[in-house]
Amino acid sequence: MWGRFLASRRGNFAIAAAVAMVPLMLGVAASVDLIGTSDDAAQLQNSLDAAGLAIGTKYQASMSASDVQQLGQTFFAANMSAADAQELSGSLGAFQASASGDPGAYFISLSSSISRPAFISGMPAWQATRSASVKLKPGAQACVLALDQHADGAVSLQGSTDVAMNGCVIAANSDAPDAVNRGGSAIVSAGCVSTVGRTQGLTPPNATLSCGAPHENQYASFDPLADVVPPAYTLCLPVPNGKTVTLSPGTYCDKTLSGKITLNPGTYIMRNVTIKPGGNGSLSGQGVTIFLMENSQLTINANEQVNLSPPTSGPYAGITIFQAHGNTQPLLLNGGSGSVVSGFIYAPDAAITYTGNSDVNAQGSCLRLVGDTVAMIGNSAVKSDCTAELGGRAAYAGRMITLAK
């Protein structure tokens, strides 16, 4: 019987058809796997892109590598939730997110892979690996920046203040409804105002903005000095006796500096030091950077004179006062007649109060205030173009987020 089947034409056709079906079925299975894997890969890529853009809206240079990874994984999982449970688990396990760059431009890099079981049991799984890169660039140049994320009146312009910042932005990272608050008879003119939250009192005639109206509900601004590392401590130097002292660069510890204080050009590290000139006292130094470490504090009152400018080159170019992270001592600059201040005044975890008047002119208007919160009182004129005076250092408002890959 079997012989007759083989000898018949019908038998030969059946065998030939059966043999031909094997590669045909394999081809169909491969097509199913290819289309399915292609769809999975597209979802993987879309999820990576979305996670990268989401990280870009939240990223700050102070975040640790694990912070970036965890934040990215949260967004990635939400976008991959439609995937098969096994595939989702594998892609989450393979997910990687990292950040690099500097305040000029940051990059978020992401990658993951997905494994799709083959249509035919026992065949190897189909793999797809995808990556994404997001570029974060700062926005317009800022002269005042409050870093606190939730404070009411993070930037406060009150009293008889007259603040002129033509071509420069006032920025706040606070999501409060009055993140930037102008009150009283204060008058403000600036390139723009940019805030994560909302603003209050910034309407004509008391506020004149080149951008027309405040930019509210914006992405947070970058900390412009996030990558600055304070110098290492050295041996504590002695402070000369008397009410008139001249200090040389170095480390000073557990002192109260008062009277007429002159700083020679260079870098000063203050450890648990209080700088408070007192009545008719003064603080002066050209080409200096003062690091207020540990619990150090700077207080300049109205009857005291301050004349400070930063170096224009070197690792601390443009920085006049740097109050360390974790130091919450209020920083008060309220100079009297003849006072001149320029450069970055930086206190990321403390309140800065700057009082300007007809005598405090912010040398060449090259003043940058960056604090947890910033309050401005009195009259101040600050300009945006200070590249030479600040050694190329700048602060920026908001951010631009783009897919780079």
Side-chain angles (χ1 to χ4, degrees):
M1 179 177 171
W2 179 247
R4 289 198 304 270
F5 177 78
L6 292 175
S8 72
R9 292 181 178 180
R10 293 180 180 179
N12 290 336
F13 178 78
I15 294 173
V19 172
M21 286 296 291
V22 174
L24 180 61
M25 291 302 294
L26 289 175
V28 171
S31 297
V32 171
D33 288 336
L34 181 61
I35 293 172
T37 303
S38 178
D39 290 342
D40 289 346
Q43 183 181 7
L44 181 65
Q45 185 66 64
N46 291 338
S47 298
L48 288 170
D49 291 345
L53 292 171
I55 295 174
T57 67
K58 305 290 186 182
Y59 178 74
Q60 290 290 343
S62 58
M63 288 182 173
S64 66
S66 61
D67 290 337
V68 175
Q69 174 74 10
Q70 184 175 359
L71 182 63
Q73 199 160 43
T74 299
F75 290 121
F76 178 72
N79 284 277
M80 281 291 291
S81 59
D84 174 82
Q86 181 179 345
E87 295 174 11
L88 173 60
S89 176
S91 64
L92 286 176
F95 177 80
Q96 294 292 327
S98 61
S100 60
D102 55 52
Y106 291 104
F107 292 88
I108 308 297
S109 300
L110 310 95
S111 65
S112 185
S113 61
I114 198 166
S115 178
R116 180 182 179 87
F119 182 77
I120 299 177
S121 179
M123 296 293 287
W126 287 64
Q127 303 285 336
T129 300
R130 295 292 183 269
S131 62
S133 179
V134 173
K135 184 177 183 179
L136 315 177
K137 289 194 66 176
Q141 193 165 157
C143 291
V144 174
L145 170 59
L147 298 171
D148 193 290
Q149 296 182 12
H150 307 296
D152 292 321
V155 175
S156 178
L157 310 164
Q158 302 294 328
S160 58
T161 303
D162 189 342
V163 177
M165 297 187 181
N166 295 325
C168 218
V169 178
I170 299 170
N173 284 352
S174 172
D175 58 7
D178 61 344
V180 178
N181 189 329
R182 186 211 63 80
S185 59
I187 297 174
V188 182
S189 61
C192 202
V193 171
S194 176
T195 175
V196 174
R198 306 290 297 276
T199 62
Q200 197 168 83
L202 292 173
T203 55
N206 296 96
T208 303
L209 304 178
S210 300
C211 61
H215 290 178
E216 300 177 334
N217 303 316
Q218 301 295 301
Y219 296 133
S221 304
F222 293 118
D223 181 340
L225 303 187
D227 61 341
V228 173
V229 179
Y233 294 157
T234 55
L235 292 177
C236 299
L237 297 176
V239 176
N241 294 323
K243 286 293 183 180
T244 301
V245 297
T246 298
L247 302 181
S248 295
T251 302
Y252 295 86
C253 312
D254 305 310
K255 300 289 184 182
T256 296
L257 302 179
S258 60
K260 297 184 182 299
I261 308 159
T262 300
L263 306 178
N264 288 325
T267 302
Y268 293 79
I269 308 165
M270 303 299 181
R271 302 180 59 191
N272 288 314
V273 171
T274 297
I275 304 175
K276 192 173 183 179
N280 299 316
S282 64
L283 174 66
S284 62
Q286 305 304 303
V288 301
T289 300
I290 303 170
F291 285 89
L292 299 174
M293 309 303 292
E294 298 173 7
N295 210 38
S296 295
Q297 184 175 15
L298 172 63
T299 300
I300 306 293
N301 289 312
N303 59 342
E304 302 158 11
Q305 189 179 79
V306 56
N307 291 277
L308 295 173
S309 70
T312 57
S313 61
Y316 306 123
I319 304 173
T320 301
I321 298 170
F322 184 107
Q323 186 159 309
H325 290 270
N327 184 349
T328 60
Q329 293 289 347
L331 197 159
L332 176 63
L333 284 173
N334 183 12
S337 177
S339 290
V340 177
V341 182
S342 67
F344 272 83
I345 309 300
Y346 180 74
D349 293 324
I352 295 177
T353 301
Y354 177 79
T355 302
N357 52 55
S358 59
D359 297 317
V360 179
N361 58 27
Q363 177 184 335
S365 300
C366 288
L367 179 69
R368 300 292 183 266
L369 300 175
V370 181
D372 182 62
T373 61
V374 178
M376 298 188 74
I377 305 168
N379 303 329
S380 305
V382 181
K383 69 176 183 178
S384 60
D385 185 11
C386 294
T387 302
E389 294 91 333
L390 301 181
R393 196 179 298 277
Y396 298 95
R399 63 183 70 183
M400 295 178 288
I401 306 172
T402 57
L403 276 172
K405 176 183 176 183

